[in-house]
Amino acid sequence: MPLGLGRRKKAPPLVENEEAEPIRTGLGGMGVGSVSGVTALQPGLPPPPANLRPRLVFHTQLAHGSPTGRIEGFTNVKELYSKIAEAFKISPVEVMFCTLNTHKVDMDKLLGGQIGLEDFIFAHTKGQRKEVEVFKSEEALGLTITDNGAGYAFIKRIKEGSVIDRIQVINVGDMIESINGQSLIGCRHYEVAKMLKDLPKGRTFALKLTEPRKAFDMISQRSAGAKYSGSTQLGTGRGTLRLRAKGPATVEEQPTAFEEKAIEKVDDLLESYMGIRDTELAATMVELGKDKQNPDEFAEALDEQLGDFAFPDEFVFDVWGAIGDAKVGRY
């Protein structure tokens, strides 16, 4: 259908910087994931039958310290957490999120929808729980929210000088369990961001948080990775394993320069319009739009695949423009 005719009611942009984002410096001597007989797939091609897919083995540790485990046979984030839990004999619900190639709570290394075939996976598990009362003295709290793809929303970064920055007990990596007693387990990042935005200014609200269990060298760390670097490499090594919400995982080539820049620009637009950062969502949007001939086709593809987000029309136009600019090298 033509863009703007018969689509959803246009939603105003969320200017609050309470954001959402789902969910990458090498460590010498740590070991890497291994792969035998990998043939990378071109994006968009259907995966081979299960019995013909390459056997991918990744190495993993618990971020606070553990022996090295080996995991394989997962096709999405929930299955990955289950494999990690099985390797270390813990419950899958104990896994909060994973980082790639570092045991620190570094949000620039957060595992999202892609894993480099040589990446080392560190799993961050639940640690201390805490309850905090926050007085919302300003409209923007200064939080960026992401989620782990398996039902937990947590803090990705804290804006310097913001309301939350002045509360030292709240840290990057903290999982938000509830707001004013309302459980957020199972909520997506954009839902949590909207709840935080909608809290009335001049009122106090209660947060229940769970911080990731820390290794000894992380005890004094508050906000590693709290500042967005503006550029995130999606995986390392010879290729990436793309984890998908629908369908099996696929082995793909590294993103092209166009794809990386387009993903970065779309991620910036997600933050500007909706108060979220989510590189995997941005990558999905770029994949949906790169072969479309006009914005109407792109809008229909977004409605079909990502209709739950109810993207406003002006946002769709800007994303279409960002993808077009990246195609012709206007970075």
Side-chain angles (χ1 to χ4, degrees):
M1 66 186 69
L3 184 62
L5 297 178
R7 297 184 77 242
R8 300 164 306 275
K9 182 178 178 181
K10 184 175 178 180
L14 300 182
V15 296
E16 172 78 333
N17 194 30
E18 272 63 75
E19 313 153 16
E21 206 175 305
I23 318 160
R24 291 180 229 252
T25 3
L27 296 176
M30 296 302 294
V32 295
S34 60
V35 56
S36 66
V38 169
T39 300
L41 296 179
Q42 295 300 319
L45 293 180
N51 61 338
L52 297 180
R53 292 176 199 160
R55 179 171 175 257
L56 301 174
V57 180
F58 293 88
H59 290 79
T60 183
Q61 288 183 352
L62 299 179
H64 62 270
S66 74
T68 298
R70 290 162 56 91
I71 56 174
E72 60 181 298
F74 55 89
T75 61
N76 56 52
V77 172
K78 289 184 179 180
E79 290 181 5
L80 167 62
Y81 292 168
S82 293
K83 292 292 184 180
I84 291 172
E86 182 181 339
F88 296 109
K89 296 179 172 57
I90 61 175
S91 171
V93 299
E94 290 297 308
V95 181
M96 293 175 58
F97 57 85
C98 295
T99 50
L100 300 177
N101 307 316
T102 179
H103 69 290
K104 297 182 178 180
V105 182
D106 185 343
M107 294 293 111
D108 288 333
K109 306 298 186 295
L110 194 66
L111 185 153
Q114 300 189 47
I115 307 173
L117 299 183
E118 297 183 356
D119 281 340
F120 195 105
I121 302 171
F122 288 88
H124 298 256
T125 57
K126 291 180 181 179
Q128 181 178 347
R129 299 182 70 184
K130 49 197 175 184
E131 298 185 22
V132 186
E133 289 193 345
V134 180
F135 179 72
K136 191 175 183 181
S137 58
E138 303 171 20
E139 288 292 343
L141 293 169
L143 284 177
T144 298
I145 307 300
T146 188
D147 66 44
N148 69 352
Y152 294 161
F154 57 94
I155 298 171
K156 180 166 187 179
R157 60 181 176 134
I158 298 172
K159 184 178 180 181
E160 187 175 354
S162 65
V163 172
I164 297 298
D165 189 45
R166 297 191 287 269
I167 305 175
Q168 292 297 306
V169 72
I170 301 178
N171 301 313
V172 167
D174 286 353
M175 181 182 77
I176 305 178
E177 287 195 20
S178 69
I179 299 175
N180 287 334
Q182 181 176 344
S183 175
L184 301 179
I185 304 302
C187 291
R188 292 300 313 276
H189 44 38
Y190 63 91
E191 296 172 309
V192 176
K194 187 176 187 306
M195 288 181 63
L196 290 168
K197 176 186 180 299
D198 290 345
L199 290 169
K201 181 181 175 181
R203 300 280 294 275
T204 297
F205 64 94
L207 288 176
K208 283 189 178 181
L209 307 167
T210 299
E211 64 182 37
R213 188 174 176 184
K214 294 180 173 64
F216 179 77
D217 64 342
M218 297 161 57
I219 295 300
S220 63
Q221 177 180 326
R222 179 172 193 242
S223 57
K227 295 183 179 180
Y228 177 63
S229 66
S231 179
T232 302
Q233 184 179 2
L234 301 177
T236 60
R238 294 165 291 177
T240 62
L241 178 67
R242 178 80 179 270
L243 304 178
R244 301 176 184 275
K246 298 178 181 178
T250 55
V251 178
E252 300 179 354
E253 297 287 353
Q254 287 278 63
T256 64
F258 147 68
E259 289 170 331
E260 287 192 342
K261 194 61 185 181
I263 290 167
E264 180 184 333
K265 291 168 73 70
V266 173
D267 207 17
D268 289 343
L269 288 169
L270 283 168
E271 180 173 23
S272 175
Y273 277 89
M274 301 186 68
I276 68 175
R277 293 201 75 93
D278 186 336
T279 54
E280 178 56 21
L281 176 59
T284 299
M285 297 181 75
V286 170
E287 186 174 317
L288 289 173
K290 64 183 180 181
D291 296 325
K292 298 297 182 291
Q293 300 302 311
N294 55 63
D296 289 334
E297 289 185 6
F298 179 49
E300 289 181 1
L302 289 179
D303 283 348
E304 181 178 347
Q305 297 293 325
L306 301 170
D308 290 346
F309 287 89
F311 296 122
D313 288 348
E314 60 188 75
F315 170 74
V316 175
F317 274 119
D318 283 351
V319 171
W320 173 256
I323 295 173
D325 286 347
K327 279 184 179 179
V328 298
R330 288 198 293 266
Y331 298 155

